[in-house]
Amino acid sequence: ILGPLGGRVFSADTRPGVHHVMVGGGYGVPPLVFFSRRIKAQNPDAKITFINGARTQAFLVGTEGLEKEGIPVLSCTDDG
């Protein structure tokens, strides 16, 4: 587990079998989406799961297109 990520630049973990799990909500989502796409560009076989949290479904933003890129998105909201 690595976090919080503010103010640092990170590289993907290149060890075999690593599963990257990105967890964010609100304004924390875009940088993690960028990082997820960067990891996939460097290693198309990288395993990544993205967890996006918000108060309601209407506030779940920023992860469009990730699933088409092979990154599963799990959405979690306070109201279920």
Side-chain angles (χ1 to χ4, degrees):
I1 296 177
L2 177 68
L5 299 178
R8 252 176 94 188
V9 177
F10 293 91
S11 300
D13 191 332
T14 57
R15 292 177 294 170
V18 169
H19 185 167
H20 299 85
V21 179
M22 307 294 173
V23 181
Y27 61 83
V29 171
L32 293 176
V33 168
F34 174 79
F35 189 37
S36 298
R37 288 184 169 139
R38 186 171 172 199
I39 291 170
K40 275 292 194 184
Q42 293 172 350
N43 179 6
D45 295 327
K47 185 166 182 164
I48 303 170
T49 300
F50 201 102
I51 302 173
N52 188 6
R55 190 171 358 147
T56 66
Q57 184 176 3
F59 291 108
L60 290 169
V61 296
T63 58
E64 295 81 13
L66 283 181
E67 291 191 354
K68 289 181 183 177
E69 298 173 38
I71 302 171
V73 177
L74 304 173
S75 299
C76 303
T77 61
D78 292 344
D79 64 0

